[in-house]
Amino acid sequence: MSNQTINVQKELLRQPSTIALVGNPNTGKSTIFNALTGLRQKIANYPGITVERKMGTTIINGVLHKIIDLPGAYSLNHKKADERISYETLIGSYDHEEKPDLLLMVVDASNLERNLFLASQVMDLQIPMLMVLTMSDIADERGIRIQSQQLSNVWGVPVISINARSKQCDVQIKQALVEQGVATPKPFQWNPSKPLRQAVERLDKEWLSEHTQLPERARPIEALRLLAEGSLEDSFYQYSEEGKAKKLIEELQNTLEAQGENPTAAEVVQRYRFIGDSSEGSVTKEQRDEQTWTDRLDNVLTHRVAGPVIFVLVLLVMFQSIFSWATPFMDMIDMLFIEFGAFVGSSLPAGLLNSLLVDGIIAGLGGVVIFLPQIIFLFLFIYFLEGTGYMARAAFVMDGFMTKVGLHGRSVVPLMSGFACAIPGIMATRTIENWRDRLITIMILPFMACSARLPVYAVMIAAFVPDKRVIGFLTLQGLVFFGLYLFGIVMAVGSAAVMKRIFPTGKPTPFLMELPPYKWPNVSSVVIQSLERGKIFVTEAGKIIVAISIILWVLASFPTYEPTASDLADMDANGQTSEQMISTLQLNQSYAGTFGQWIEPAIEPLGFDWKIGIGLLTSFAAREVMVGTLNTIYSIEETEEQLGLIERLRSETDPETGLPKYTLATALSLMIFFAIAMQCMSTLAIVKRETNSWKWPLVMFGYMTVLAYFSAWITYEWANTFLLG
Amino acid sequence: MIVPLTTTKIGEQVRVSCLNCTSEDTCRLQELGCVEGATGTVVSNQKNIILQVGECRLAITHPLAMNILVEPVSKKK
Ligand SMILES: Nc1nc2c(ncn2[C@@H]2O[C@H](COP(=O)(O)OP(=O)(O)OP(=O)(O)O)[C@@H](O)[C@H]2O)c(=O)[nH]1
Ligand SMILES: [Mg+2]
């Protein structure tokens, strides 16, 4: 290997510039991004966590620079939606967004050769860079020694070695940028063979430069890709005269073959050969034969039989624990809100404002904030699992099953994130290569019981399912809760199996994934990220809930009701407190009441009365609003003593029969409705964006709503006949 | 002797000698370091395979593994 003088550029950093983080998946790009910008991008031990470009800023030596975090990529041959974003950012094909002036080329030191493959491709683009070796701690542990200076001499760019998780990470990188600077790498350092070089030149000259809009520095990379894949299909550019290109590519491939080169492998093999040769002087590894922890765990967790069983157990423990561990915290919040409401109620003069604050806003908000503990526990669990590296194994062991039902092993992680919220789940499908697999995953993802459904499930279960211990740590309430999650999964799988038949089949993409080594998750980042999600839940849900609570309070309080003489006579006869009675009559003849009773016939078959009906309508803004709505409605209607929502639901009676109005059948029907119905505007908006058409969100809304209505109906009838009859 | 990856045993060391699949999958395998001539260790073989190539642990499902032809190599002392 010939050493070269590095053409260091330091002046670049004196003016504001745009710095992009590029590298393989799961190498610590987002960890560095967070350290430099102070932002909180999601980090986890799974290849493919970042799926969109994210901007931040950092100050180096008094100058403000923009930092871009990119999705990880194994190569620039951009096959998946997330990889494509990195490629397009690098070549600057987003017109409206600036292209990076310099790069932090992130390279995993514990997996150097594989990472240098992408690095060598990126170097061909000739953007000034600093190479950042991450995971130096893991490399040390495994006995891998890297001579940074040597590496720097070979590739002609400055190199630093860091542990991205350490506190000084940002300081180290800034210091390196200032002291060592960046350098523009020379293209084609990997010495492509003469035939390959000639083929690239011809494809560039005769096709790419004339007929495409590709920037000059990107053309050789595109030429190599076209030669290897031989098809124009996967290119994201409009080509004119495609026929000519196809003929040319075919001719060049044949020439290569005649010269003894395998066109599909030539580039990769030659790059790897160069990397292998060049690492000889700079990387040493102690031979160690002992079994690592990763080996031992993988023996169990990826076992054909034990693997899937363990996965289901993990889910079971997760749902049981969020249900039971969160209870004490929820009781505390409940207490706080009741006290606070009482305090505000008594310290303000009685009247409209008092009622709006206490019955409208505080009640509505309290009804939802109470679920914060469960949501934080759920996120803690998911982030913890993702941090360990287990999720890649789960994807692997579930692939066989997933493929059978029309999904893909890579669907597992998006579906799991769907338990938290459908939106990040749908975004995460960008890591699925095959469009049909991706579309089916998106279309069924909202069946995964997201955290916004949790409040509704929790209220209904607590009110109507007996609190009995079944076996061990499992309670009946916990089991019903798990049953609902399972129901969502079954619906998802069933619908996927149906869609698999409807959508045209393409060539299946076999499962292939890198399994990252197991790691102890970074506890503080897991906790911070979960709390962050909790905060988002409260502020986002809070905004909608405050708005809807106010509107609803107005609709339920007006027109104000003046009791007639005959009403008063009735009350005396029934021996009811007149205030209670008046509040009920007030509610019934309010705008909300009138409207609710008008739609009641439509939902009566499902066992819902108009109060639930109003709740359902408001829940189309966001599911968790349902509980807030019920809370507001019930606060306006007064009772003898201050009761929580759960008691109110239990004690609601039918004025005609005197029997409880809501039963287990109502609860089950409502929960089934919530499990299936598509009641989330934001999800529909994201589906529109990711599928680039209104067709799919509309189809999704339609089929889920119809399915929800009929399933709830059947459930209600069934429960009335078999459970209560 | 050249055999499909699926017929190898746990702990066996193999050299990849031919990637016999459709070009797209081949490209993906190659990008991950599983190039012709690379040596690896079979970590697990239960229909699906885990192959350790260098420092990289690849999870490969059965249909893809059938298309990877390898040559068993004796372990170096
Ligand atoms: N031990 C160790 N772990 C690290 C280091 N850098 C990152 N990690 C961990 O590696 C995993 C991946 O980190 P991320 O920052 O999410 O990686 P990324 O490159 O953004 O990944 P993608 O977004 O999937 O491309 C996380 O579990 C990190 O905590 C490091 O230097 N040492
Ligand atoms: Mg990332």
Side-chain angles (χ1 to χ4, degrees):
Chain A
M1 259 342 96
S2 65
N3 288 352
Q4 44 180 310
T5 43
I6 304 174
N7 176 22
V8 171
Q9 293 152 286
K10 292 186 179 168
E11 67 292 351
L12 268 176
L13 282 149
R14 300 225 180 91
Q15 45 199 298
S17 48
T18 307
I19 306 173
L21 285 150
V22 203
N24 277 184
N26 210 34
T27 50
K29 296 178 297 301
S30 300
T31 310
I32 294 176
F33 178 83
N34 288 355
L36 285 175
T37 61
L39 295 174
R40 305 236 169 91
Q41 270 275 69
K42 184 171 172 189
I43 293 169
N45 191 9
Y46 179 84
I49 287 296
T50 308
V51 291
E52 56 184 347
R53 38 182 279 160
K54 175 94 186 185
M55 279 275 207
T57 54
T58 196
I59 295 175
I60 303 172
N61 246 1
V63 183
L64 187 73
H65 299 278
K66 287 191 185 140
I67 308 274
I68 307 176
D69 187 19
L70 290 174
Y74 288 114
S75 83
L76 291 182
N77 299 349
H78 52 88
K79 294 189 186 67
K80 295 187 282 139
D82 54 339
E83 292 179 317
R84 189 183 139 193
I85 294 172
S86 297
Y87 174 72
E88 299 203 325
T89 303
L90 284 178
I91 65 170
S93 66
Y94 288 112
D95 292 336
H96 50 289
E97 284 161 25
E98 61 252 82
K99 58 174 195 285
D101 304 310
L102 40 127
L103 304 178
L104 291 177
M105 182 73 230
V106 179
V107 168
D108 177 351
S110 69
N111 197 348
L112 191 67
E113 297 201 1
R114 219 276 317 289
N115 277 258
L116 284 174
F117 177 78
L118 175 74
S120 91
Q121 281 193 325
V122 173
M123 286 180 187
D124 288 351
L125 295 173
Q126 305 169 62
I127 307 171
M129 63 167 74
L130 168 71
M131 191 188 282
V132 181
L133 302 180
T134 55
M135 314 276 179
S136 58
D137 51 324
I138 297 188
D140 278 347
E141 231 169 74
R142 296 215 202 127
I144 300 167
R145 301 244 170 309
I146 299 173
Q147 254 65 53
S148 310
Q149 192 50 51
Q150 192 65 30
L151 203 63
S152 164
N153 292 341
V154 170
W155 294 96
V157 293
V159 176
I160 57 160
S161 170
I162 59 163
N163 171 358
R165 278 188 183 187
S166 79
K167 288 228 162 56
Q168 310 87 11
C169 154
D170 57 327
V171 180
Q172 284 174 322
I173 290 176
K174 287 179 187 177
Q175 202 176 353
L177 281 170
V178 172
E179 285 170 12
Q180 304 187 38
V182 290
T184 311
K186 291 200 188 74
F188 294 105
Q189 300 187 57
W190 49 287
N191 284 327
S193 65
K194 205 164 157 223
L196 190 60
R197 205 187 286 249
Q198 282 167 344
V200 168
E201 271 163 21
R202 273 195 63 195
L203 196 54
D204 185 352
K205 214 167 49 227
E206 292 173 33
W207 165 251
L208 291 169
S209 59
E210 280 181 37
H211 297 278
T212 67
Q213 308 287 307
L214 278 179
E216 191 176 346
R217 62 182 180 186
R219 280 187 224 136
I221 290 283
E222 183 70 4
L224 285 165
R225 188 183 75 80
L226 289 174
L227 284 173
E229 289 183 6
S231 81
L232 292 167
E233 261 169 47
D234 202 28
S235 17
F236 301 98
Y237 307 99
Q238 284 298 317
Y239 289 137
S240 54
E241 294 183 59
E242 277 193 22
K244 185 188 165 199
K246 282 206 180 107
K247 223 180 281 158
L248 179 64
I249 291 170
E250 214 162 290
E251 182 201 322
L252 291 172
Q253 283 183 328
N254 290 339
T255 320
L256 273 177
E257 213 142 353
Q259 287 166 313
E261 302 262 6
N262 173 357
T264 56
E267 179 202 351
V268 193
V269 169
Q270 291 178 20
R271 279 191 203 269
Y272 268 110
R273 189 178 305 138
F274 176 80
I275 292 164
D277 293 348
S278 68
S279 319
E280 227 130 73
S282 44
V283 186
T284 51
K285 187 181 180 203
E286 291 166 32
Q287 274 299 324
R288 287 185 195 173
D289 265 349
E290 80 231 48
Q291 264 208 330
T292 61
W293 264 107
T294 296
D295 290 329
R296 280 185 217 129
L297 280 169
D298 270 345
N299 283 343
V300 185
L301 296 179
T302 63
H303 190 272
R304 253 178 97 184
V305 184
V309 172
I310 291 173
F311 181 60
V312 173
L313 280 180
V314 166
L315 291 184
L316 185 65
V317 171
M318 171 165 117
F319 299 133
Q320 173 68 39
S321 60
I322 50 179
F323 200 72
S324 45
W325 293 353
T327 317
F329 300 98
M330 294 172 70
D331 290 344
M332 246 163 56
I333 295 180
D334 198 20
M335 281 292 300
L336 277 178
F337 267 90
I338 290 182
E339 295 284 317
F340 183 60
F343 169 74
V344 174
S346 62
S347 43
L348 285 175
L352 275 185
L353 180 68
N354 188 322
S355 165
L356 171 65
L357 275 180
V358 178
D359 300 335
I361 297 175
I362 297 180
L365 212 53
V368 173
V369 172
I370 186 173
F371 298 99
L372 189 59
Q374 286 187 328
I375 281 157
I376 290 178
F377 270 105
L378 178 76
F379 277 103
L380 278 175
F381 219 104
I382 291 182
Y383 286 151
F384 181 84
L385 272 186
E386 287 182 343
T388 58
Y390 173 69
M391 290 318 297
R393 276 76 184 179
F396 179 49
V397 294
M398 296 307 290
D399 177 69
F401 174 75
M402 299 304 259
T403 312
K404 273 197 200 96
V405 298
L407 299 166
H408 189 268
R410 284 187 185 268
S411 309
V412 170
V413 168
L415 290 176
M416 277 285 283
S417 356
F419 286 134
C421 175
I423 293 165
I426 287 169
M427 300 273 297
T429 61
R430 289 185 180 178
T431 59
I432 302 173
E433 213 163 295
N434 184 303
W435 167 243
R436 190 187 70 128
D437 292 348
R438 185 170 164 213
L439 182 64
I440 297 183
T441 310
I442 291 176
M443 292 299 281
I444 58 150
L445 206 134
F447 282 130
M448 307 313 279
C450 68
S451 53
R453 284 169 173 122
L454 227 153
V456 182
Y457 291 173
V459 163
M460 289 292 149
I461 290 178
F464 298 104
V465 177
D467 189 12
K468 278 194 298 208
R469 197 161 283 279
V470 184
I471 23 163
F473 67 101
L474 293 174
T475 58
L476 186 59
Q477 292 191 335
L479 276 184
V480 171
F481 193 62
F482 181 62
L484 282 163
Y485 277 90
L486 198 65
F487 177 75
I489 297 172
V490 171
M491 287 304 297
V493 167
S495 313
V498 172
M499 284 180 206
K500 183 188 174 194
R501 283 164 200 282
I502 299 173
F503 296 147
T505 38
K507 202 170 51 126
T509 313
F511 183 87
L512 171 66
M513 192 187 272
E514 182 189 6
L515 301 179
Y518 289 102
K519 263 184 212 157
W520 190 245
N522 195 338
V523 177
S524 71
S525 101
V526 168
V527 171
I528 289 173
Q529 289 183 66
S530 306
L531 292 179
E532 190 86 349
R533 293 302 308 205
K535 204 172 97 193
I536 294 173
F537 170 78
V538 172
T539 48
E540 289 303 304
K543 270 185 255 165
I544 303 176
I545 285 162
V546 168
I548 289 190
S549 301
I550 295 175
I551 296 171
L552 200 72
W553 175 85
V554 171
L555 291 180
S557 307
F558 295 97
T560 44
Y561 165 73
E562 288 301 328
T564 58
S566 75
D567 286 342
L568 289 173
D570 269 1
M571 278 175 225
D572 282 343
N574 291 338
Q576 261 176 316
T577 346
S578 54
E579 265 186 34
Q580 242 176 286
M581 195 68 187
I582 289 174
S583 73
T584 305
L585 287 168
Q586 156 69 41
L587 186 61
N588 284 349
Q589 58 79 59
S590 66
Y591 295 119
T594 319
F595 181 71
Q597 282 151 32
W598 183 66
I599 60 163
E600 200 169 47
I603 51 173
E604 216 168 1
L606 318 186
F608 306 157
D609 68 348
W610 68 265
K611 290 174 195 165
I612 295 184
I614 294 284
L616 282 184
L617 280 184
T618 56
S619 71
F620 276 88
R623 293 184 179 92
E624 61 272 38
V625 173
M626 169 83 183
V627 178
T629 304
L630 286 180
N631 234 5
T632 301
I633 294 182
Y634 282 116
S635 306
I636 289 173
E637 195 179 8
E638 283 170 29
T639 43
E640 273 165 72
E641 39 186 332
Q642 276 297 326
L643 292 176
L645 180 59
I646 290 172
E647 282 84 29
R648 289 298 299 262
L649 288 171
R650 278 195 199 135
S651 60
E652 184 84 351
T653 50
D654 191 323
E656 281 156 34
T657 59
L659 292 171
K661 202 166 189 181
Y662 305 135
T663 59
L664 182 59
T666 324
L668 288 177
S669 158
L670 186 68
M671 290 189 290
I672 294 290
F673 187 88
F674 265 80
I676 303 176
M678 178 63 248
Q679 298 155 287
C680 180
M681 299 295 173
S682 332
T683 302
L684 292 172
I686 287 289
V687 174
K688 150 82 179 47
R689 197 185 76 189
E690 296 294 301
T691 60
N692 225 339
S693 96
W694 277 111
K695 177 174 157 199
W696 297 116
L698 286 177
V699 168
M700 178 184 259
F701 181 77
Y703 96 89
M704 288 189 172
T705 308
V706 171
L707 208 58
Y709 187 88
F710 286 101
S711 309
W713 189 353
I714 294 168
T715 308
Y716 186 63
E717 292 295 323
W718 171 84
N720 267 334
T721 320
F722 293 99
L723 290 184
L724 309 168
Chain B
M1 188 187 57
I2 293 177
V3 296
L5 184 58
T6 45
T7 62
T8 53
K9 284 197 293 288
I10 295 183
E12 212 170 324
Q13 292 236 332
V14 294
R15 180 179 296 119
V16 179
S17 61
C18 180
L19 291 169
N20 182 22
C21 35
T22 56
S23 70
E24 200 181 319
D25 310 333
T26 324
C27 288
R28 291 202 305 142
L29 265 170
Q30 289 173 340
E31 285 162 6
L32 286 162
C34 189
V35 282
E36 290 175 17
T39 51
T41 315
V42 182
V43 177
S44 153
N45 182 351
Q46 301 169 340
K47 201 153 176 272
N48 295 331
I49 290 197
I50 300 179
L51 182 69
Q52 177 105 21
V53 181
E55 295 301 320
C56 174
R57 188 171 276 246
L58 297 176
I60 305 168
T61 47
H62 191 75
L64 188 55
M66 279 197 305
N67 285 306
I68 304 173
L69 301 181
V70 296
E71 188 182 350
V73 290
S74 48
K75 234 176 181 175
K76 276 178 268 164
K77 300 248 159 57

